[in-house]
Amino acid sequence: MAERRKNFLLEIGTEELPPSFLGPALEQLRAGARELSPTAEASTLATPRRLVLHLAGLPLWREETVFGPPLERARDEKGNWNRQALGFARGRGKQDADLRVAQKKGRDYCALTLRIETAVELAEAAGELIARLGFPKSMRWLTGDPFRFGRPIRWLLCLFGSEVLPVSAAGLRAGRETRGLRFFAPEGLKVPRADLGEFQKLLRDNYVLADSDQRKKKIEAGLLRQLRRRRPAAGPEDIDSGLLEEVAGLVEYPRIIRGGFERRFLSLPAEVLVTVMRVYQRYFPVFRENGELAEEFLLVANGPFSRTAAIRKNNQKVLRARLADAEFFWREDLARPLEDRLEELDGMVFYRGLGTYRDKTRRLVPLSAGIARRLEAPAAEIADTERAALLAKTDLVTAMVREFTDLQGVMGGEYARRQGEGEGVAIALREQYLPRRAEDPVPRTRPGMALALADRLDTLAAFFSAGFSPSGSSDPYGLRRQAGGVVRILAERELSLPVAELVEEAVSGLAPPPEATGKLKEEIAAFIRARLEAYLEGRGFPTDMVRAVFAAGGDDLPGAVSRIETLEKMRGSKELLAAATVVERTANIVREAGLSGKEAWRDGPSVDPAERNLARVYAERGEEIRRLIEKGDYRKATSSYARVFSRPLSDFFDRVLVNVEDDRERKNRMILLKKINLVYTESVADLSLLQFERGEHILE
Amino acid sequence: MDFQTLILTLENYWRGKGCLLVQPYDLEVGAGTFAPATFFSVLGPDPVRTAYVQPARRPADGRYGENPNRLYQHHQYQVIIKPAPFDIQDIYLASLRELGIDPKLHDLRFVEDDWESPTLGASGLGWEVWCDGLEITQFTYFQQMGGFELDPVPVELTYGLERIAMFLQGVENVFDLEWAEGISYGAMRKRQEYEFSRYSFEEVPAGEYPDLFRRFEEEGLALVKAGLVYPAYDFALKCSHVFNLLDARGAVSVSERAHYIARVRRLARGCAELYLRKPEEGGGEDG
């Protein structure tokens, strides 16, 4: 008896794909699978040499209605199918007996029910899926064929149930053969049917762990076992996750081998050792109980080696040569004071058309010192900031940083410390690039913060002034990351710095001074503001609240954050709703009037008692609310604002018509409303920008 | 396996794979890719199978013969096959077996390394081949040369001979390698390493070489105009070497650097363009 449902298995066999290509490729395979069959259970596997898609439980066929001519044109006068209808049936390989009537958009048609074989559909779709796969970088290898892939495809396996599907791609036809690990498995492994478990077992028996996650887990467990020999408390957080991901994408059958190096290399800074091991060799460092580096490394080899002595010895030899190089750089670099390298910065272009690093240094010194002063740093720290700014970029021309750009800042700090610069300077040099990545901390010291901020603001000013501002999703110079760094430092260190003024200082430091400085400053400030909104939204604050608060000014970032936090806690409360009502009622009617709120409200004979009362409440209680705001007690300020103004405002609107004919009278009323509006919206939030739930917003 | 046996083994292996064995080019080059046997043969539609040893000079890497791993001049074994065979990885791996590298005892790996030479207007995708963590070969599918898209796509294999020899002989200092029985690499090469390092780091007349570069460049461009592709390309190589010397001497600023490279690239591109023209138009091999 034939089975009702079958599985589908596709394996694209390649030469070694780069590890970073695997995840995105599987993502695309899964998306393709959803298009193919939204209901089938899709699984994917990947190794450097294969991308696999498996779909479970597909029906053997499906039925599809095909519409022919409309019914009135498909029948003859006797009500039988006419020639046109019969032609339609034959064209689809069917008889007149197969024709039926079906409705489409309320109209009757002559129609056929076709049986679509899943195998046929799959064969076609699989070929297209392969051709459609995109990679960060792809290549050609077929003569006269523009087909591109991450690396050459060398075999295709495609099964539906136990049947090979006629799939063609990249000049190959699919078969039922797969390959195991190179050197260790026999050639031409036959896969009898599209069973995921069986397929994985066949591969495992031939030294391929096809599931990336499984491979990663196995490597992680193996690494932990080894790490715990030195430090029993070692956990997954001690393993570089990026490196783990990469290494898992470099092997099909991981085998962990432990190696060692000479103790003398431990006198190099730990970051240097870790970087050399990671960047050059993809080794994992080993730490001791006390957190210091051990003279050991762990490597992940590819294969079920029965003997590992040679592999260990040879890897150790390679690492020794690499470390000897690093040691050479370290000694050479140390022999030359950082300050002596300033001249070399003249020859190092910051970016084409944006001057040299020496130019940048000249701007960084006053800019960062200015920020340090604003942070109320004591004189000694301001001096450290200036010194650090002067030396900030000198490590870029050291041999070590030329070799390992990742170590910029880190080396500056290490060299500074050993060359007798103050500890404050050394730390600031190291902190200037923080945060590099999302998981990095922000600088802790004032000189570090000042330098980190100045460096980023200067970069933004320079790039924007040269017209290299990001557009849409493209940001080739990584300026969003720079602005994001500014935001994180300000937010996480709770610095009350006026961003607009800092931008102004950065822009006015540029030489020659850029054109249209005003517009430039606005652009940069808006750019940083956008990052800020994104950052706060990332912390879970709703967009409408962020916008409402920033409409009242966001230069004092910690103040803005605390306003957002307070108001967000009040969300749904009667007080906030009432305050929003006051804001909205005082805003709507005066919106177009072009008032500043500084105009004077005048009493007079035409003033209604309700208006006079409102003005009196404003005069008597307005100041008290302002004081609460100044103190930062936004909760109390909000509820007071609501309590003080709700009733008098309500009375006012009940009794007074604002839009009267008399210009002066109308304007006078608007002035009063504007003043009441500004008490709150000027320095807390423009609550009219908040989205309230339906029915929540009841205007009394 | 001594150094010369290593070379002979590779020569024999690749001769067996149908490669034409040619001799090293007699001008200074930084890599085997720069030799005309690679630069020109990868251009155009004609099939190619060729292999050769190429001494490669990298003035900035000179260490006065004192560093056990860095050399002013090293040797590459270069294989160019166009179009790249379907099973080229296997063919390559079999060559390692010939050298006595048993893949069941060593960790052989293809690690992503996309290659690019802005000087030649060349780029390709491929790997560095690792043997127990040591990079022993650069394996590249060329996509572009002289700024031209390549079709058919050639494969380039560049074996680092000193590294492989050190691996095979278990030696940690390149100068301790055995070139032939009883003759060390140091005895053969150490004095050259010292003298060329001194020359490139201390003696290169940094003030005059920019002018030398300019004269070579002019000569090259004039030869392109004259339709003499091989002599023109020689001058591109001379320019490239003068630039390398200036760079080693520390006489090239970062901005000048890009400028020099662009000038060599322009010349190389001119040569490639000329070469690709049909013979009756005054270009092409043996035209």
Side-chain angles (χ1 to χ4, degrees):
Chain A
M1 197 184 113
E3 31 176 343
R4 302 280 309 266
R5 286 177 176 269
K6 286 184 179 176
N7 300 333
F8 168 76
L9 178 64
L10 171 69
E11 181 185 41
I12 308 167
T14 64
E15 296 184 358
E16 278 75 354
L17 288 166
S20 64
F21 287 14
L22 303 183
L26 293 191
E27 208 39 63
Q28 295 173 62
L29 282 181
R30 282 191 291 267
R34 276 192 297 275
E35 259 174 55
L36 214 59
S37 163
T39 49
E41 191 191 325
S43 318
T44 52
L45 306 169
T47 76
R49 290 182 77 205
R50 66 201 80 223
L51 300 168
V52 178
L53 173 64
H54 182 267
L55 297 175
L58 292 167
L60 301 189
W61 67 82
R62 62 185 176 83
E63 289 189 337
E64 193 181 277
T65 301
V66 200
F67 293 91
L71 196 58
E72 65 271 18
R73 286 201 275 117
R75 287 208 164 127
D76 60 21
E77 56 281 5
K78 289 183 200 149
N80 296 322
W81 298 115
N82 66 14
R83 273 183 54 194
Q84 209 186 337
L86 295 177
F88 164 63
R90 303 231 166 85
R92 301 283 173 155
K94 296 278 181 183
Q95 317 286 326
D96 51 353
D98 298 322
L99 288 168
R100 61 184 182 89
V101 180
Q103 277 202 332
K104 186 166 73 174
K105 285 180 188 161
R107 197 170 166 195
D108 284 334
Y109 284 84
C110 155
L112 284 168
T113 301
L114 292 187
R115 190 169 121 154
I116 312 277
E117 297 292 331
T118 308
V120 174
E121 265 194 322
L122 282 174
E124 205 171 291
E128 274 170 31
L129 190 54
I130 297 169
R132 263 197 350 230
L133 283 182
F135 297 89
K137 220 172 167 188
S138 62
M139 59 173 281
R140 293 175 294 107
W141 68 95
L142 299 162
T143 301
D145 185 342
F147 184 85
R148 303 180 80 92
F149 210 75
R151 287 291 184 275
I153 301 177
R154 293 309 186 198
W155 79 91
L156 289 173
L157 174 151
C158 192
L159 299 174
F160 184 52
S162 54
E163 156 200 10
V164 174
L165 291 184
V167 174
S168 299
L172 297 169
R173 268 189 93 72
R176 64 167 73 249
E177 281 189 8
T178 184
R179 299 190 198 178
L181 181 66
R182 235 192 221 117
F183 314 124
F184 290 90
E187 304 226 319
L189 301 171
K190 293 239 186 321
V191 181
R193 53 198 185 121
D195 182 288
L196 185 65
E198 280 178 21
F199 179 63
Q200 278 186 272
K201 181 172 185 310
L202 176 71
L203 288 177
R204 205 164 41 240
D205 290 345
N206 287 281
Y207 309 108
V208 173
L209 290 182
D211 183 331
S212 309
D213 290 331
Q214 239 177 48
R215 225 160 45 238
K216 220 158 66 182
K217 276 196 197 110
K218 187 172 178 217
I219 297 171
E220 187 180 64
L223 290 172
L224 280 177
R225 247 194 324 278
Q226 293 289 336
L227 289 175
R228 283 176 182 147
R229 288 171 49 165
R230 282 288 186 184
R231 206 166 78 80
E237 68 282 358
D238 295 308
I239 295 171
D240 181 332
S241 58
L243 184 60
L244 178 61
E245 181 82 36
E246 186 184 356
V247 163
L250 275 172
V251 297
E252 297 205 294
Y253 197 82
R255 171 79 198 255
I256 290 162
I257 298 174
R258 164 196 289 265
F261 54 84
E262 284 83 346
R263 291 203 63 131
R264 70 178 163 101
F265 291 121
L266 290 175
S267 64
L268 290 168
E271 279 101 337
V272 171
L273 294 170
V274 171
T275 303
V276 170
M277 288 192 256
R278 188 193 65 222
V279 176
Y280 279 146
Q281 303 297 136
R282 275 75 159 185
Y283 297 158
F284 292 86
V286 178
F287 291 90
R288 293 176 184 285
E289 194 81 67
N290 61 8
E292 278 172 23
L293 213 54
E295 63 274 31
E296 275 173 22
F297 64 89
L298 301 172
L299 79 95
V300 182
N302 186 27
F305 299 103
S306 52
R307 278 179 289 166
T308 56
I311 299 176
R312 170 182 305 114
K313 207 179 101 218
N314 291 326
N315 274 282
Q316 289 180 169
K317 220 189 284 180
V318 178
L319 180 61
R320 191 180 308 135
R322 298 288 199 190
L323 291 177
D325 266 353
E327 195 180 37
F328 174 79
F329 297 150
W330 171 248
R331 282 209 206 106
E332 290 271 294
D333 289 346
L334 270 181
R336 182 132 189 262
L338 288 177
E339 194 169 356
D340 290 2
R341 298 181 181 273
L342 277 171
E343 268 174 47
E344 286 170 58
L345 294 183
D346 274 328
M348 190 158 194
V349 174
F350 165 53
Y351 188 79
R352 194 157 33 89
L354 300 181
T356 66
Y357 274 99
R358 187 75 181 274
D359 299 328
K360 193 183 206 327
T361 301
R362 287 195 192 99
R363 300 192 297 263
L364 281 183
V365 174
L367 188 58
S368 55
I371 296 174
R373 270 184 217 106
R374 286 178 189 273
L375 295 176
E376 292 168 6
E381 287 189 13
I382 292 172
D384 279 353
T385 308
E386 285 182 325
R387 182 74 183 159
L390 182 73
L391 303 178
K393 303 301 165 189
T394 51
D395 69 347
L396 298 181
V397 289
T398 61
M400 191 77 86
V401 177
R402 279 185 193 274
E403 188 76 16
F404 303 104
T405 44
D406 281 10
L407 290 176
Q408 62 182 3
V410 173
M411 293 325 295
E414 295 289 337
Y415 292 141
R417 183 170 294 128
R418 280 170 180 76
Q419 289 174 349
E421 302 285 348
E423 186 62 15
V425 175
I427 292 174
L429 287 175
R430 171 186 281 259
E431 288 184 336
Q432 64 176 310
Y433 295 104
L434 293 179
R436 285 181 165 86
R437 290 171 278 275
E439 64 273 19
D440 280 354
V442 296
R444 291 182 182 284
T445 68
R446 269 177 294 220
M449 291 177 221
L451 186 53
L453 287 171
D455 191 18
R456 288 173 171 85
L457 289 165
D458 176 75
T459 297
L460 289 170
F463 275 88
F464 271 77
S465 77
F468 295 129
S469 42
S471 58
S473 62
S474 113
D475 180 21
Y477 313 105
L479 298 181
R480 286 203 181 92
R481 204 162 45 89
Q482 300 281 347
V486 170
V487 167
R488 272 195 59 197
I489 296 169
L490 294 176
E492 289 173 32
R493 289 285 165 244
E494 303 190 346
L495 306 181
S496 295
L497 289 173
V499 176
E501 285 174 39
L502 298 184
V503 169
E504 171 149 14
E505 278 170 36
V507 169
S508 57
L510 294 175
E515 290 165 24
T517 347
K519 191 166 152 270
L520 191 59
K521 282 183 285 200
E522 266 169 42
E523 266 177 35
I524 299 171
F527 185 68
I528 296 177
R529 169 71 55 82
R531 289 296 94 204
L532 186 54
E533 285 180 8
Y535 168 79
L536 292 169
E537 281 153 26
R539 274 180 51 179
F541 296 120
T543 314
D544 64 334
M545 183 61 85
V546 172
R547 299 243 160 99
V549 163
F550 278 108
D555 250 6
D556 168 22
L557 185 55
V561 172
S562 124
R563 264 143 56 206
I564 291 170
E565 280 171 345
T566 310
L567 296 184
E568 201 43 47
K569 275 190 209 131
M570 293 178 77
R571 186 118 25 191
S573 70
K574 278 209 183 83
E575 288 88 346
L576 187 69
L577 187 58
T581 308
V582 172
V583 167
E584 192 147 318
R585 297 192 87 179
T586 51
N588 281 344
I589 207 157
V590 302
R591 201 150 268 159
E592 307 286 317
L595 297 168
S596 74
K598 298 225 169 66
E599 301 83 355
W601 175 83
R602 290 178 211 290
D603 203 347
S606 65
V607 168
D608 184 280
E611 183 182 354
R612 191 170 297 121
N613 180 49
L614 184 60
R616 184 187 53 79
V617 170
Y618 170 75
E620 285 174 6
R621 312 286 303 274
E623 206 42 45
E624 153 197 339
I625 293 163
R626 285 207 181 86
R627 271 200 303 278
L628 285 169
I629 294 171
E630 237 161 73
K631 266 173 49 194
D633 194 343
Y634 304 118
R635 172 178 280 277
K636 225 170 183 177
T638 305
S639 48
S640 292
Y641 183 70
R643 203 172 50 244
V644 166
F645 289 113
S646 286
R647 177 54 53 84
L649 191 66
S650 208
D651 290 345
F652 170 82
F653 278 116
D654 283 349
R655 306 208 20 189
V656 181
L657 185 64
V658 178
N659 280 324
V660 289
E661 284 294 319
D662 186 309
D663 271 355
R664 244 193 315 171
E665 225 172 284
R666 188 174 68 237
K667 197 174 165 207
N668 202 38
R669 285 172 188 160
M670 285 189 171
I671 288 170
L672 179 60
L673 292 175
K674 181 78 180 176
K675 283 175 183 295
I676 292 168
N677 182 273
L678 285 180
V679 169
Y680 192 87
T681 60
E682 203 171 33
S683 39
V684 183
D686 182 354
L687 298 180
S688 66
L689 295 174
L690 286 190
Q691 319 262 312
F692 285 91
E693 307 237 329
R694 194 191 292 268
E696 194 187 359
H697 203 182
I698 318 149
L699 288 173
E700 290 173 11
Chain B
M1 184 179 284
D2 62 33
F3 199 71
Q4 62 187 28
T5 308
L6 166 61
I7 292 173
L8 276 174
T9 308
L10 288 172
E11 293 269 58
N12 271 321
Y13 179 79
W14 288 104
R15 183 184 59 173
K17 297 293 162 196
C19 282
L20 192 68
L21 303 181
V22 301
Q23 299 306 312
Y25 202 57
D26 60 344
L27 283 184
E28 304 97 331
V29 293
T33 311
F34 282 70
T38 292
F39 182 81
F40 289 118
S41 72
V42 299
L43 294 167
D46 303 329
V48 171
R49 279 180 178 246
T50 189
Y52 55 97
V53 177
Q54 182 63 51
R57 301 194 195 212
R58 298 193 176 159
D61 285 351
R63 291 291 182 273
Y64 296 86
E66 285 165 9
N67 185 300
N69 293 297
R70 291 210 186 211
L71 295 170
Y72 165 89
Q73 185 197 293
H74 68 286
H75 297 80
Q76 298 181 341
Y77 194 82
Q78 178 87 352
V79 180
I80 295 288
I81 305 181
K82 177 178 71 173
F86 184 81
D87 53 349
I88 182 61
Q89 278 191 319
D90 295 331
I91 298 175
Y92 163 74
L93 289 166
S95 78
L96 299 183
R97 279 208 190 87
E98 292 291 307
L99 300 178
I101 298 175
D102 178 349
K104 285 193 168 181
L105 295 179
H106 297 285
D107 185 25
L108 291 169
R109 222 82 79 69
F110 288 84
V111 181
E112 169 190 20
D113 187 33
D114 298 336
W115 174 88
E116 205 169 299
S117 165
T119 320
L120 290 181
S123 65
L125 273 74
W127 309 271
E128 4 178 283
V129 182
W130 284 15
C131 177
D132 296 342
L134 178 73
E135 182 196 339
I136 54 170
T137 303
Q138 191 78 38
F139 190 128
T140 309
Y141 292 102
F142 282 145
Q143 303 285 299
Q144 266 199 8
M145 184 63 85
F148 291 91
E149 286 288 317
L150 303 179
D151 183 20
V153 170
V155 64
E156 179 199 59
L157 305 172
T158 304
Y159 297 77
L161 290 177
E162 279 82 356
R163 287 197 180 177
I164 296 174
M166 285 167 77
F167 177 84
L168 294 174
Q169 295 183 23
V171 170
E172 292 205 32
N173 187 330
V174 64
F175 297 104
D176 294 339
L177 276 177
E178 215 178 32
W179 187 292
E181 204 187 327
I183 310 278
S184 77
Y185 191 93
M188 297 280 296
R189 302 275 330 148
K190 198 155 187 169
R191 180 163 175 191
Q192 287 94 315
E193 282 295 319
Y194 172 77
E195 291 191 358
F196 277 114
S197 297
R198 263 200 57 190
Y199 163 66
S200 35
F201 292 128
E202 300 168 37
E203 302 294 334
V204 163
E208 291 159 38
Y209 271 30
D211 193 48
L212 190 61
F213 181 96
R214 190 185 51 75
R215 279 157 55 199
F216 284 156
E217 183 191 20
E218 279 172 10
E219 187 78 28
L221 292 170
L223 286 164
V224 169
K225 267 210 184 105
L228 299 175
V229 65
Y230 286 101
Y233 185 68
D234 273 5
F235 281 89
L237 294 181
K238 286 176 200 282
C239 283
S240 170
H241 184 59
V242 170
F243 163 71
N244 288 341
L245 286 169
L246 281 167
D247 198 25
R249 187 86 166 83
V252 183
S253 76
V254 177
S255 49
E256 282 176 308
R257 205 186 148 74
H259 188 54
Y260 272 118
I261 288 174
R263 286 163 71 186
V264 183
R265 182 168 59 237
R266 186 167 63 126
L267 188 49
R269 193 192 156 84
C271 294
E273 204 175 354
L274 187 57
Y275 178 85
L276 284 170
R277 267 191 230 155
K278 291 197 182 76
E280 58 268 28
E281 294 168 30
E285 194 167 18
D286 307 324

